[in-house]
mmCIF file of all heavy atoms in Angstrom:
data_model
loop_
_atom_site.group_PDB
_atom_site.id
_atom_site.type_symbol
_atom_site.label_atom_id
_atom_site.label_comp_id
_atom_site.label_asym_id
_atom_site.label_seq_id
_atom_site.Cartn_x
_atom_site.Cartn_y
_atom_site.Cartn_z
ATOM 1 N N GLU A 147 0.002 -2.994 -50.844
ATOM 2 C CA GLU A 147 -1.179 -2.547 -50.085
ATOM 3 C C GLU A 147 -2.178 -1.832 -50.968
ATOM 4 O O GLU A 147 -3.391 -2.002 -50.808
ATOM 5 C CB GLU A 147 -0.669 -1.540 -49.039
ATOM 6 C CG GLU A 147 -1.791 -1.097 -48.052
ATOM 7 C CD GLU A 147 -1.288 -0.071 -47.008
ATOM 8 O OE1 GLU A 147 -0.631 0.913 -47.437
ATOM 9 O OE2 GLU A 147 -1.554 -0.299 -45.828
ATOM 10 N N GLU A 148 -1.699 -1.054 -51.947
ATOM 11 C CA GLU A 148 -2.616 -0.432 -52.909
ATOM 12 C C GLU A 148 -3.432 -1.463 -53.700
ATOM 13 O O GLU A 148 -4.567 -1.291 -53.960
ATOM 14 C CB GLU A 148 -1.816 0.528 -53.855
ATOM 15 C CG GLU A 148 -1.405 1.815 -53.139
ATOM 16 C CD GLU A 148 -0.439 2.613 -54.009
ATOM 17 O OE1 GLU A 148 0.350 2.071 -54.757
ATOM 18 O OE2 GLU A 148 -0.483 3.862 -53.876
ATOM 19 N N HIS A 151 -6.124 -2.868 -51.504
ATOM 20 C CA HIS A 151 -7.238 -1.917 -51.346
ATOM 21 C C HIS A 151 -7.953 -1.583 -52.651
ATOM 22 O O HIS A 151 -9.134 -1.122 -52.633
ATOM 23 C CB HIS A 151 -6.712 -0.578 -50.724
ATOM 24 C CG HIS A 151 -6.307 -0.715 -49.283
ATOM 25 N ND1 HIS A 151 -6.274 0.348 -48.447
ATOM 26 C CD2 HIS A 151 -5.963 -1.809 -48.550
ATOM 27 C CE1 HIS A 151 -5.872 -0.093 -47.230
ATOM 28 N NE2 HIS A 151 -5.740 -1.335 -47.271
ATOM 29 N N GLY A 152 -7.288 -1.758 -53.791
ATOM 30 C CA GLY A 152 -7.886 -1.427 -55.046
ATOM 31 C C GLY A 152 -7.879 0.055 -55.379
ATOM 32 O O GLY A 152 -8.661 0.492 -56.242
ATOM 33 N N HIS A 153 -7.074 0.818 -54.636
ATOM 34 C CA HIS A 153 -6.987 2.276 -54.964
ATOM 35 C C HIS A 153 -5.614 2.755 -54.569
ATOM 36 O O HIS A 153 -4.831 2.065 -53.873
ATOM 37 C CB HIS A 153 -8.120 3.087 -54.278
ATOM 38 C CG HIS A 153 -8.110 2.912 -52.756
ATOM 39 N ND1 HIS A 153 -9.259 2.595 -52.089
ATOM 40 C CD2 HIS A 153 -7.141 2.948 -51.803
ATOM 41 C CE1 HIS A 153 -8.978 2.485 -50.792
ATOM 42 N NE2 HIS A 153 -7.666 2.713 -50.601
ATOM 43 N N VAL A 154 -5.296 3.984 -54.988
ATOM 44 C CA VAL A 154 -4.001 4.601 -54.787
ATOM 45 C C VAL A 154 -3.891 5.307 -53.405
ATOM 46 O O VAL A 154 -4.922 5.862 -53.003
ATOM 47 C CB VAL A 154 -3.737 5.633 -55.901
ATOM 48 C CG1 VAL A 154 -2.432 6.423 -55.668
ATOM 49 C CG2 VAL A 154 -3.745 4.940 -57.245
ATOM 50 N N HIS A 155 -2.795 5.217 -52.811
ATOM 51 C CA HIS A 155 -2.552 5.918 -51.554
ATOM 52 C C HIS A 155 -1.620 7.130 -51.798
ATOM 53 O O HIS A 155 -0.874 7.141 -52.787
ATOM 54 C CB HIS A 155 -1.899 5.039 -50.502
ATOM 55 C CG HIS A 155 -2.790 3.935 -50.071
ATOM 56 N ND1 HIS A 155 -2.358 2.785 -49.473
ATOM 57 C CD2 HIS A 155 -4.147 3.804 -50.087
ATOM 58 C CE1 HIS A 155 -3.383 2.001 -49.149
ATOM 59 N NE2 HIS A 155 -4.464 2.593 -49.536
ATOM 60 N N HIS A 160 -6.133 8.128 -52.153
ATOM 61 C CA HIS A 160 -6.836 8.012 -50.872
ATOM 62 C C HIS A 160 -5.906 8.337 -49.709
ATOM 63 O O HIS A 160 -4.716 7.989 -49.769
ATOM 64 C CB HIS A 160 -7.366 6.587 -50.627
ATOM 65 C CG HIS A 160 -8.608 6.305 -51.425
ATOM 66 N ND1 HIS A 160 -9.855 6.163 -50.840
ATOM 67 C CD2 HIS A 160 -8.798 6.174 -52.739
ATOM 68 C CE1 HIS A 160 -10.726 5.874 -51.760
ATOM 69 N NE2 HIS A 160 -10.131 5.910 -52.955
ATOM 70 N N HIS A 162 -5.715 7.550 -45.750
ATOM 71 C CA HIS A 162 -6.328 6.839 -44.586
ATOM 72 C C HIS A 162 -5.847 7.445 -43.289
ATOM 73 O O HIS A 162 -4.703 7.940 -43.215
ATOM 74 C CB HIS A 162 -5.904 5.362 -44.567
ATOM 75 C CG HIS A 162 -6.433 4.613 -45.736
ATOM 76 N ND1 HIS A 162 -7.784 4.303 -45.859
ATOM 77 C CD2 HIS A 162 -5.859 4.083 -46.806
ATOM 78 C CE1 HIS A 162 -7.946 3.587 -46.944
ATOM 79 N NE2 HIS A 162 -6.796 3.454 -47.567
HETATM 80 ZN ZN1 LIG B 19 -6.493 2.173 -49.004
#
Side-chain angles (χ1 to χ4, degrees):
E147 189 183 47
E148 285 171 326
H151 287 202
H153 57 230
V154 174
H155 293 159
H160 283 249
H162 294 289

